[in-house]
Amino acid sequence: MNVEPEPAISVRGLWKVFGPHPERIVGSPEAELSRADLREQTGCTAAVRDVNFDVAPGEVFVVMGLSGSGKSTLVRCLTRLVEPTAGQITFEGEDIVAADQARLRELRRHRFSMVFQHFGLLPHRKVIDNVAYGLEVRGMNKADRHARAHEVVELVGLQGYEQAYPDQLSGGMQQRVGLARALAVDPDLLFFDEPFSALDPLIRRGMQDEVLRLHHEVKKTMIFITHDLSEALKLGDRILIMRDGAAVQLGRPDELVGAPADDYVADFTRDVPKSHVLTLRWIARPPVVGEPLDGPELPATTIIRDAIRDVMHATAPVKVMSNGQLLGLVDHEDVLRVIAGEPQPVSV
Amino acid sequence: MTILTADLVPSSRRFDRRWSIPVVLVAWWLVWRFGFGTHNLPNGGPTFIQDWFLRIRNAADAGRDSSPLFIYFFNPIAKTTGSVISSMMSLTTNLGWTGITGIASAISLWVAGWRHGLLTAVGFISFGVLGLEAESMQTLVQIIVAVFLSLLIGIPLGVWAGVSNGFSRVVTPVLDIMQILPTFAYLPLITLFFLIGPASGTIATMIYAIPPAIRLTAAGIREVSTATVEASESLGATKWQRLTDVQLPMAKRTIVLGVNQTMMAALSMITIAALIAAPGLGASVISALIKLDVGAAFNAGLAIVCMAIVFDRVTTAASVRTERASRAGGAASQRTRLLRYGAGIGLIALGVILPGINRSLATFPDRWVHGTRNPVNSVANWTQLHWYGATSWLTTTVTHWLIDPLQSLLSNTPWPVVVLGLALLAYFVGGLRPAIVTAGCLMGAILMGLWPSSMTTLASVLIGALFTMIIGIGFGVWLGRSRMADQLIRPILDAGQVMPPFVYLVPCLALFGATRFTGIVAALVYASPAVIKIVAEGIRSVPANTTESAISSGSNSWQTIVKVQLPMARGMLLVALNQGIIFVLAMVVVGGLVGAGGLGFDVVNGFAQSVFAGTGLAAGLAIVFLGIMLDRITQSAGRSRRTTD
């Protein structure tokens, strides 16, 4: 195995409790209570409970949960828009929780930026000045920041609208402005707080593709909050599922669908077309005695959907390979069973 | 605290409330019937507070030139304000009516556009036409100074209250109290520190005009969407950058609305401040009211209304414009902007140069003056002559059947029974806290030595509030149910709300003479617009499908109103009652000027005769007590009802 790269951001034991004297909750027996019981007994609400994860550089890390699961609070804790109650957030070896206000501002101005659900644009400023706002608060002069803003406006496909005001744009275009504003400061880490949930489904899909394209082009590390599973599966390299403030499962999309950690996640992922998410690894089976082993080879990371044609055309079962080793076989029957939505034999 | 008091009330409260209030009333009536006139505080109660106030007043008068508090604090304030006002007054004289009209129109043109520039010109010329050029300018100057200073203090405080929860918690209850105080109540206190005159008039006006500036600025800052504030924070903006780049620009519209409210408050207060010798239109109204010269009072009132309309329209338009301009959609082109600026400068130049060419142009030409005094007086005389039967019948009927009995019940029952009775009523309406507040406030009125006056005022307020609610619910339901009625009546209500309260006294005086009833009618006219609007709002906020389901199950209009819409609008009805009763109190005390008696008369008399200065101060405090009592009872009624739902 190759050496794990140092994580872009690392979160350990993160808590956020709202209410009177929240600090007394963490580490006390009450921390074990359910959310409702905790509120009943202490008047406090644990929005984020003991969350741990690392995000690799260049990764798209998705945090998914229903409303009230604490995902938005979690992402706000990472940049301390909301002050965490306990825990460590390490960014390039520096503990963000310990940073003072000046240092925090410095980080926000140069290293982080965020895209918001309701855009948060300044209605009294033109698109170009909205995009340049992050550079303006840094103190960059007007000519420089406009030059940079023009580049970014082009990157998100808003050229021609520089002089428009936010109210004159559609929701999707407003969010492009929000995206451009976040990209303009050339951050190392981009946070997205349900950026597309206020948009129409068609526009939403377009914006998701836009994010994938931008990720491909600028290769930023992204932490993306959503309540939409299909969005999470589409964008996320890895997904963290949250429920009632706690992490339920962390894994690649195929891991969540193929091996849900509990009934909650299973329930969530039940309607996902498995052939669109699972890879051949998940359905490869040991050869049956006498089965022909001269079929075509496919890598284990191939998504089933992409393998359908090959499997159906092959005269013999397809050989699923991983690092040059035979992992197992997949034939017509196996693929059809996935597509028909039959329960899969769990194979981890 | 409300939740606490609600818990203290026994759980069988529904039963209690149904029977307890009639029981208290009947018991009270029996005591009144058989204990008539006993223990009812000879001479109105103890007078030591009034004597004490008088001594303070005299000590203040004596120390005005020696005490450091006066030399280094109050006197400089009064002196600076006074000299600013007098130098601005001489400036207006030098500019002449053309200069003032030119400047005012130009400013309106710049901030609010062509139409409002024209409106301003017409409004300012109307002052001269009414023959009140000088008085109008005096009022104008005092308003400008008061509004300027109010905004200078109010906007920064409002910004502070907008960004700091701690400061907001401190300042909100203070503003609440300031808002329920009838303007009359603190005039005596102002004169204690600043004597009478334009300076103290302006300072009193500021006290009244600052709260809306603070409130609306804070509201504007708080309304800014959290997403935008968070976005700027996430980009590393400092608090100052957040304020100047995000919060202030986005709150601009609401802040300008605050300027509008501040101006309207200042205008209504500066006319009342005429009682403490602030010169201007208010003084004309008062001297006319005292002489029962309806025509002259109407004429001056008309000038006040013209000024109110100009201020209101221009600042409202400016507020809408700020919003549109800042969001650019409707921003004017470069050319029209230049044209506007050019025209404005031209207007000013013309206005200022004209009197320079010919000094006689500085004063408004006499042959253009067409005051309304004489025609109005003949209309008033005709009305009094021909309607005398109807109006005097109305006055005597209401006085005989409502005002007299209630006043007798309040002031001829032994006072401990009145205190107990009102406290019990407050308890059954709202719980323990309002009951304690009620008892405390009534004891306060006794301590002031003004029990009979307080009871006179209270009787008028209760009857005024009753009429106001009847009218308010009647019209409110109509407006709430019919869009056409709303479109027809609402502009009248809007206009009614911008008028300073003094103006209402004039027609009432013409119709009903100098009686208690006049004060009540004026209060009714003054309070109704707000109450009607709130009731209409409540009716309209009943969900359409609830009304529809009532109609589809066969309710007729009356059943729909009584069984569905009014019960569902109960919360708003109680808000309307609260607002109505506070408005009525404010106007009833002003009615003291025209023979309504009570605390208002005591206040006015305190200004007129220095031996009664102590009584005036005490009356001001007694009004405060009544205001707090009525406010707490009606507010708690709204709350406790809601908690039992």
Side-chain angles (χ1 to χ4, degrees), chain B residues 43-52 447-449:
Chain B
N43 305 323
T47 53
F48 64 92
I49 292 270
Q50 294 175 24
D51 299 338
W52 188 60
L447 201 64
M448 293 301 120

Side-chain angles (χ1 to χ4, degrees), chain A residues 22 77 82 201 248 308:
Chain A
C77 283
V82 166
V248 182
I308 292 174

Side-chain angles (χ1 to χ4, degrees), chain A residues 11-16 48-51 74 77-78 84 86-87 89:
Chain A
V11 175
R12 289 290 171 271
L14 189 71
W15 281 83
K16 175 64 195 181
V48 176
R49 334 165 52 121
D50 195 21
V51 170
L74 171 66
C77 283
L78 299 186
I89 301 162

Side-chain angles (χ1 to χ4, degrees), chain B residues 209 294 344 355 363 367 388 417 442 468-469 601:
Chain B
V294 174
T363 46
R367 62 201 155 81
Y388 182 76
V417 177
L442 290 171
T468 305
M469 285 313 283
F601 173 78

Side-chain angles (χ1 to χ4, degrees), chain B residues 149-475:
Chain B
L149 292 175
S150 299
L151 296 178
L152 203 65
I153 298 170
I155 290 181
L157 285 181
V159 170
W160 190 11
V163 296
S164 148
N165 288 329
F167 182 64
S168 172
R169 268 197 293 278
V170 173
V171 84
T172 309
V174 177
L175 295 181
D176 284 344
I177 292 287
M178 281 167 94
Q179 202 144 49
I180 64 164
L181 285 193
T183 45
F184 242 47
Y186 47 79
L187 287 182
L189 207 61
I190 299 283
T191 59
L192 177 66
F193 297 124
F194 300 108
L195 288 174
I196 57 171
S200 52
T202 307
I203 291 164
T205 304
M206 276 171 59
I207 293 178
Y208 188 61
I210 286 177
I214 298 179
R215 245 181 228 281
L216 279 151
T217 305
I221 299 264
R222 280 176 190 275
E223 270 165 21
V224 173
S225 82
T226 44
T228 319
V229 173
E230 242 182 5
S232 89
E233 208 179 334
S234 81
L235 288 164
T238 58
K239 277 189 177 159
W240 180 252
Q241 284 172 326
R242 194 195 325 164
L243 187 67
T244 54
D245 297 342
V246 180
Q247 290 170 316
L248 282 179
M250 288 178 75
K252 211 154 141 196
R253 182 195 143 92
T254 316
I255 294 175
V256 177
L257 265 182
V259 174
N260 169 284
Q261 296 283 301
T262 303
M263 280 192 125
M264 301 324 286
L267 181 57
S268 93
M269 187 63 193
I270 199 70
T271 52
I272 290 178
L275 284 172
I276 52 175
L281 295 169
S284 310
V285 176
I286 287 185
S287 69
L289 285 177
I290 288 167
K291 284 182 280 186
L292 300 184
D293 183 344
V294 174
F298 179 89
N299 201 39
L302 196 60
I304 295 174
V305 172
C306 290
M307 198 179 279
I309 289 172
V310 169
F311 283 171
D312 184 49
R313 296 293 118 185
V314 171
T315 45
T316 308
S319 153
V320 174
R321 238 178 131 82
T322 350
E323 178 80 353
R324 239 188 300 142
S326 71
R327 295 190 177 219
S333 72
Q334 191 74 15
R335 222 179 63 128
T336 43
R337 238 190 351 238
L338 277 179
L339 200 61
R340 262 209 332 261
Y341 282 110
I345 291 167
L347 271 176
I348 295 179
L350 188 70
V352 174
I353 289 166
L354 274 181
I357 296 169
N358 186 343
R359 202 55 218 162
S360 67
L361 288 174
T363 46
F364 198 82
D366 276 339
R367 62 201 155 81
W368 289 1
V369 175
H370 295 285
T372 55
R373 183 184 161 200
N374 294 334
V376 169
N377 266 340
S378 42
V379 171
N381 289 336
W382 183 89
T383 318
Q384 276 161 1
L385 200 67
H386 289 83
W387 290 10
Y388 182 76
T391 56
S392 73
W393 175 83
L394 197 60
T395 309
T396 41
T397 312
V398 174
T399 308
H400 183 72
W401 290 103
L402 277 173
I403 306 178
D404 282 346
L406 184 62
Q407 195 174 324
S408 167
L409 185 69
L410 284 169
S411 47
N412 288 329
T413 315
W415 66 267
V417 177
V418 177
V419 175
L420 185 71
L422 286 174
L424 275 176
L425 289 178
Y427 174 76
F428 290 125
V429 166
L432 193 58
R433 249 167 77 93
I436 294 170
V437 171
T438 301
C441 286
L442 290 171
M443 296 309 285
I446 291 173
L447 201 64
M448 293 301 120
L450 290 165
W451 182 249
S453 297
S454 304
M455 290 304 109
T456 306
T457 299
L458 184 59
S460 295
V461 169
L462 292 178
I463 289 166
L466 176 73
F467 285 150
T468 305
M469 285 313 283
I470 292 172
I471 300 240
I473 290 177
F475 276 88

Side-chain angles (χ1 to χ4, degrees), chain A residues 76 81 105 108-109 112-114 116 118-125 133-134 136-137 165 167-168 181 185, chain B residues 225 227-239 241-242 244-246 249-250 325-329:
Chain A
R76 280 171 173 69
L81 286 175
R105 249 195 325 268
R108 288 173 182 167
R109 285 179 179 183
F112 305 151
S113 61
M114 189 153 168
F116 293 87
H118 298 295
F119 321 145
L121 302 178
L122 300 171
H124 53 283
R125 287 172 170 232
Y133 183 65
E136 186 184 333
V137 297
Y165 283 82
D167 284 1
Q168 298 165 323
R181 179 177 62 187
V185 297
Chain B
S225 82
T228 319
V229 173
E230 242 182 5
S232 89
E233 208 179 334
S234 81
L235 288 164
T238 58
K239 277 189 177 159
Q241 284 172 326
R242 194 195 325 164
T244 54
D245 297 342
V246 180
M250 288 178 75
S326 71
R327 295 190 177 219

